[in-house]
Amino acid sequence: MTGTLTIFRREMGQYFANPVSYFIAAAFLLVTGFFFIDDLTRSVTINAVNPAAVPEFLSFGMIFFAPVITMRMLAEEAREGTMELLLTAPVNDLAIVLGKFLSAWAYYSILLLITIAYQIIYIQNDSIQPDYGITVSAYIGIWLYGGACLAVGLAFSALTENQIVAGFLSMIFLLAMWLGDNIGNIAANIELANVIRQLTLQGHFSTSFAAGILRGEDVVYYVGIIGIALFIAIQLVESRRWR
């Protein structure tokens, strides 16, 4: 556990010291702010406010943000030769991967917490009565969803020494996992459609968390994706010891 905390502190320090992290945060908040303003405008003229507007956007947006956040984490270590230093340090492979993942998830969580300001604006507006149940459920869901995306991105970062390749591969994989929900919606066979949707990231968010429904099977799905992706990342890091 000490090794994990050491890696976690090291990575968090890099987030706050690296200008790129601030550019990512600015882009994240700029785009989510746009969707919030759009929803707020629509609530005045067209339809009721949607408290899950920002989380629903992020269910697509994390296809791009997650790879950008994680693509350098292990790939850059391997390219610059600092991975060998980590592997010879008094920390095991689990600590390396888990520390890096938790730091990425913490960074994402901070950005997500900042967007709570949008919900406060909803609450302070007397003419708007958002469904707080949907708000809480959607944010819990997108937090888990984001964790799963980050774990996948970290696994691809462990696969190659090129961070651009790592980012591209994880983006393609996450896009496929998102598009699978749409494929399930148009499949002629209902049973096949259900199976496809149960395998996708979006399928466990759009009809449950985003609708104010907390289901154990959806939580287990995202935790399972995180576990599988981190296990793969650990095996890839361990394989470098024998190269």
Side-chain angles (χ1 to χ4, degrees):
M1 194 65 180
T2 303
T4 300
L5 288 174
T6 300
I7 298 297
F8 175 81
R9 292 194 191 102
R10 172 178 177 263
E11 292 297 317
M12 288 304 294
Q14 290 184 1
Y15 277 122
F16 288 107
N18 191 341
V20 175
S21 300
Y22 292 96
F23 283 118
I24 294 172
F28 184 95
L29 296 174
L30 178 65
V31 178
T32 54
F34 169 80
F35 277 87
F36 162 71
I37 292 173
D38 180 66
D39 180 65
L40 188 62
T41 303
R42 287 173 175 271
S43 70
V44 176
T45 59
I46 302 176
N47 49 254
V49 69
N50 177 15
V54 170
E56 283 178 349
F57 158 71
L58 287 176
S59 68
F60 175 75
M62 284 304 290
I63 295 172
F64 306 98
F65 282 114
V68 171
I69 293 172
T70 59
M71 65 183 185
R72 68 163 188 85
M73 301 194 81
L74 290 168
E76 190 175 46
E77 298 271 16
R79 182 178 62 84
E80 295 186 351
T82 52
M83 178 62 77
E84 285 72 17
L85 295 176
L86 275 178
L87 295 177
T88 56
V91 291
N92 57 31
D93 301 330
L94 173 61
I96 294 172
V97 172
L98 191 57
K100 286 180 174 288
F101 167 70
L102 290 176
S103 68
W105 206 4
Y107 174 71
Y108 168 69
S109 299
I110 292 171
L111 297 182
L112 198 59
L113 282 172
I114 294 174
T115 67
I116 296 294
Y118 306 147
Q119 304 302 322
I120 295 174
I121 293 174
Y122 282 145
I123 294 171
Q124 291 183 337
N125 192 325
D126 295 334
S127 63
I128 297 175
Q129 296 182 342
D131 188 321
Y132 302 125
I134 292 178
T135 301
V136 174
S137 174
Y139 269 84
I140 292 174
I142 203 59
W143 181 68
L144 292 170
Y145 187 113
C149 291
L150 292 168
V152 169
L154 188 61
F156 279 103
S157 183
L159 184 64
T160 175
E161 296 182 1
N162 189 315
Q163 60 179 327
I164 302 301
V165 172
F168 177 76
L169 291 176
S170 57
M171 196 176 297
I172 293 300
F173 182 85
L174 291 173
L175 181 60
M177 290 289 284
W178 186 83
L179 288 174
D181 183 54
N182 294 327
I183 295 174
N185 288 333
I186 63 176
N189 187 302
I190 296 178
E191 292 183 0
L192 176 61
N194 288 332
V195 170
I196 293 174
R197 296 193 78 249
Q198 288 300 311
L199 295 175
T200 65
L201 291 166
Q202 182 72 353
H204 286 271
F205 177 78
S206 60
T207 59
S208 55
F209 289 110
I213 302 172
L214 290 173
R215 296 187 304 199
E217 63 188 78
D218 298 318
V219 174
V220 170
Y221 170 81
Y222 289 123
V223 172
I225 292 292
I226 292 172
I228 292 170
L230 293 184
F231 175 78
I232 293 172
I234 291 169
Q235 300 309 307
L236 290 170
V237 170
E238 184 178 2
S239 69
R240 293 184 180 278
R241 293 185 182 272
W242 310 106
R243 294 181 186 177

